[in-house]
Amino acid sequence: MTMDHDELEHLIDRELRDLPAPRAPRSLLSRVMAAGAEAQRPWYARAWRTWPVGWQAASVVLCLALLTVTGLSLPIAQASIAAESAPMIGRVTTDVWQVIARTMDAQRAAEIVWRVVIGPVASVAVLPILAMLVASLAFGAALSRLAFGGTPQS
Amino acid sequence: MTDADLFEAFVREYQDMVFATAVRLLGNPVDAEDVSQTVFLKAYERFDQIGASPTAAGWLKTVATNICLNHLSRYRSRWRLFSEMRRDDDDGGEAGFEATVVADTAAPGAGLDARERQEQVERAVRQLPEHQRVPLVLFHFEQHSYQAIADLLGITLAKVKTDIHRAREALRITLGTL
């Protein structure tokens, strides 16, 4: 079927004009009203990307300035803190070293006592001491059986 | 009545019109809803001027059309390319496209009631390729002249006429009974 341009235009036009307008989704109204309420807030209370361009640029410059100042002042602050805290740190370090030194002295004294006094005696006295311990246990068990007529309770 | 109430009534009155313009130009309800929201936010910014204006509907349609065209502009170079390719391929390529559209729609023709037929026409319009749908919608729904469409889209008058004619032919074949 062939049709000239004008005839086709009129037919399509008539067909399209008969179409009802598509209805907006129900969500559109609530979205628009929410966005309108958002738009009523002052610019600085909205999301950053909605700020005026000038204020966006100014905020970026301010942030960069803050970062620069922070970066420059950090070494100075560190040095100042170190200078202020040095005496306190020195006192604490001295105390710690004193405790360590005393502990080491005590350990050395204990080693000397063991090596000079206890060590020689211990090597000789270990067997008699063990024998006396076993004899004492045996005597206690026999006495318990004779005196109380049964095995010891413990 | 507060300003918010007035604006809500304004949106209720024009939301179908704005959405219809957007969805027919874009062929996509999700994008059309986003564009409609943007249009009404622009209206909100100057609500004291257009809220009670008798030209509000025209203003809304113009803004909606411009925002839709901006939305589509990122694809416009591709759209031009395809349009030119179709012109070069006039004898063979168009038949293939029409066959696709016919296959995508339900059996056209007699036996459809008015509502079903309208739904088919609406669907067929949305299924047209952008380079045909946009000038067709601007001409038949928005009552733009061929020259105004050419100016809006930045293309030649001849190309506008060709694209619209091809769109009409595609619709005629799709709908069968025209």
Side-chain angles (χ1 to χ4, degrees):
Chain A
M1 175 177 153
T2 58
M3 195 176 282
D4 68 28
H5 283 213
D6 289 341
E7 194 178 356
L8 180 61
E9 179 184 331
H10 290 133
L11 283 170
I12 294 293
D13 196 57
R14 190 178 61 213
E15 193 76 26
L16 297 183
R17 282 182 192 280
D18 285 345
L19 293 179
R23 295 184 66 82
R26 290 184 179 181
S27 55
L28 178 59
L29 179 64
S30 55
R31 281 181 58 177
V32 170
M33 296 310 293
E38 171 77 7
Q40 272 191 326
R41 298 166 66 191
W43 61 267
Y44 51 82
R46 292 183 230 148
W48 181 83
R49 65 178 184 282
T50 64
W51 285 14
V53 176
W55 284 108
Q56 284 182 333
S59 66
V60 169
V61 169
L62 182 63
C63 285
L64 288 176
L66 281 173
L67 283 174
T68 305
V69 168
T70 305
L72 290 175
S73 61
L74 201 57
I76 299 170
Q78 278 180 327
S80 175
I81 290 169
E84 289 292 325
S85 59
M88 186 182 73
I89 292 172
R91 281 197 300 274
V92 171
T93 306
T94 304
D95 291 345
V96 169
W97 276 115
Q98 281 179 349
V99 168
I100 291 172
R102 285 176 185 169
T103 305
M104 291 177 72
D105 287 346
Q107 182 190 356
R108 274 197 295 273
E111 283 176 0
I112 291 169
V113 170
W114 174 266
R115 195 168 55 241
V116 174
V117 180
I118 300 174
V121 175
S123 59
V124 177
V126 164
L127 284 176
I129 291 170
L130 285 177
M132 287 172 67
L133 180 62
V134 171
S136 298
L137 289 173
F139 178 75
L143 184 63
S144 173
R145 183 179 290 270
L146 289 174
F148 304 107
T151 56
Q153 296 302 307
S154 61
Chain B
M1 205 175 201
T2 64
D3 286 349
D5 294 335
L6 288 171
F7 182 65
E8 184 174 340
F10 179 83
V11 176
R12 281 186 192 281
E13 183 175 354
Y14 292 113
Q15 61 177 350
D16 289 343
M17 182 198 74
V18 170
F19 180 77
T21 299
V23 77
R24 282 172 173 155
L25 282 171
L26 299 174
N28 177 343
V30 176
D31 290 346
E33 189 173 356
D34 290 343
V35 166
S36 301
Q37 179 180 334
T38 306
V39 171
F40 281 114
L41 281 180
K42 287 189 178 295
Y44 184 80
E45 289 169 3
R46 51 177 64 191
F47 188 58
D48 53 340
Q49 297 167 30
I50 65 164
S53 168
T55 61
W59 186 89
L60 288 169
K61 278 202 167 207
T62 302
V63 172
T65 300
N66 290 337
I67 294 176
C68 286
L69 294 182
N70 286 339
H71 184 87
L72 292 169
S73 65
R74 74 187 79 166
Y75 303 111
R76 193 161 296 160
S77 56
R78 189 178 65 182
W79 159 26
R80 281 180 184 159
L81 175 66
F82 286 160
S83 184
E84 293 300 329
M85 286 169 63
R86 288 193 184 284
R87 176 180 291 179
D88 297 341
D89 194 25
D90 207 10
D91 294 332
E94 206 66 37
F97 163 70
E98 285 162 357
T100 304
V101 174
V102 170
D104 285 349
T105 55
L112 295 178
D113 64 22
R115 184 179 174 80
E116 286 174 331
R117 181 177 177 77
Q118 287 172 343
E119 285 174 359
Q120 277 206 6
V121 175
E122 190 75 45
R123 190 163 55 242
V125 170
R126 289 188 199 178
Q127 285 179 341
L128 289 170
E130 275 178 21
H131 69 275
Q132 294 178 357
R133 185 184 66 247
V134 171
L136 181 90
V137 168
L138 291 174
F139 185 88
H140 286 290
F141 291 107
E142 306 302 324
Q143 282 79 48
H144 284 55
S145 67
Y146 289 118
Q147 186 59 56
I149 295 169
D151 293 342
L152 260 178
L153 301 182
I155 55 179
T156 64
L157 183 62
K159 193 162 127 46
V160 169
K161 289 182 176 177
T162 301
D163 285 342
I164 291 178
H165 180 70
R166 287 176 177 166
R168 290 175 185 145
E169 283 289 348
L171 285 179
R172 181 179 66 82
I173 292 173
T174 299
L175 298 169
T177 56
L178 291 175

